[in-house]
Amino acid sequence: MLVLNILVCGGAGYIGSHMCHWLQAHGHSVAVLDNLSTGHREAVRWGEFIRADLQDRSSLDQVFAGRSYDAVMHFAASSLVGDSVRDPVATYQNNVTGTLNLLEAMRRHGVGRLVFSSSAAVFGEPRADLVDELHPLEPINPYGASKRMVERILADAAASYGLRAVALRYFNAAGALAGAGIGEAHACETHLIPNVLRSAGGSGPKLSVFGNDYPTPDGTCIRDYVHVADLASAHGLAIEYMLAHEGFHAFNLGSEAGYSVMEIIATAADIVGRAVPFEFAARRAGDPARLVASSAKAERLLGWKRDWTDLRSIIESAWQWHRQQPY
Ligand code: UDP
């Protein structure tokens, strides 16, 4: 078996920590770089931990010196759309400049493969029921624009320097591996499933459902929820793909199935065994009515196959994690 040495930037975060679990479980060697601005030290359970900031170029040299990485996986970013609208420069600084610094350091130290955490936000307002990779890239907020910019930078770096890079565009990451002690733990939680579970479990406030006048069957937004462990496996396949293919490649990662906010609430209530207290609130700026991926390209070219195929088991896994939390 091929054993790889992987640097996971942002490995103390929600998706990054599940990635480290996957890498360890598949026999690879992991090092985590994180500045712990939103990540958690206790989520770094596999491999070496290096506390460093992508904004600090000199410390990046120390991260790469004396180590030999086969590839970098890059999860470290500002990930909240609302924050990006309030302070776009901070988002561009963190997401774009941080990635440029990382790319420079990789180049200086001869590391030529990168898997980049991109997002459905690169597409903006979807024009198709199933969004595939040919859909125009028209981000409508600074967060999506920062991801789009990095994709472009990676394509240029691939053409000019021979970097091999894969951008994986997540739709809605969900679920947890509670048995491994990792899950979604944001200090300021904005995501639907954790908020629904906190409301149902009594540890959170009444849920605000942002908009019930969308052009969808029940009036609430439809999203495509994918288990984080399945996102992690796609990264493993992306590394294999880069070993065999030059250039830059982008893949959408979704389930091709959409669920409305009200469907998430109903499923969570059934799992928790309690009603979810909620109220309808105004639409949240920048939310498209429906965002569902075609994952045909990832399935065809990467051989990606999801293990978590039904919504109920995904939400159940998140609930297992949430009920273990002290709050
Ligand atoms: N949402 C909601 N209440 C919340 C959090 C989210 O109604 O407390 C809605 C949100 O407007 C969107 C969907 O749930 O339609 C998914 O939002 P989330 O923030 O989880 O992911 P996003 O799709 O924005 O990446």
Side-chain angles (χ1 to χ4, degrees), residues 248-267:
F248 169 75
H249 308 272
F251 298 93
N252 295 355
L253 298 181
S255 71
E256 310 208 338
Y259 295 95
S260 72
V261 174
M262 295 313 292
E263 286 174 308
I264 298 293
I265 290 175
T267 308

Side-chain angles (χ1 to χ4, degrees), residues 172 190-193 195 207-210 221 223 225 261 284 287:
N172 287 63
T190 64
H191 292 117
L192 179 65
I193 291 177
N195 282 348
L207 182 83
S208 292
V209 174
F210 300 135
C221 288
R223 293 290 178 276
Y225 296 89
V261 174
R284 192 171 67 175
D287 274 345

Side-chain angles (χ1 to χ4, degrees), residues 115-127:
V115 187
F116 173 64
S117 296
S118 190
S119 166
V122 298
F123 296 111
E125 194 65 49
R127 298 187 193 176

Side-chain angles (χ1 to χ4, degrees), residues 193-207 265 268-269 271-277 319 322-323 325-327:
I193 291 177
N195 282 348
V196 167
L197 293 174
R198 285 184 193 189
S199 300
S203 63
K206 186 191 273 190
L207 182 83
I265 290 175
I271 290 166
V272 175
R274 277 193 290 267
V276 178
W319 175 235
H322 280 280
R323 64 194 310 188
Q325 300 312 300
Y327 48 75

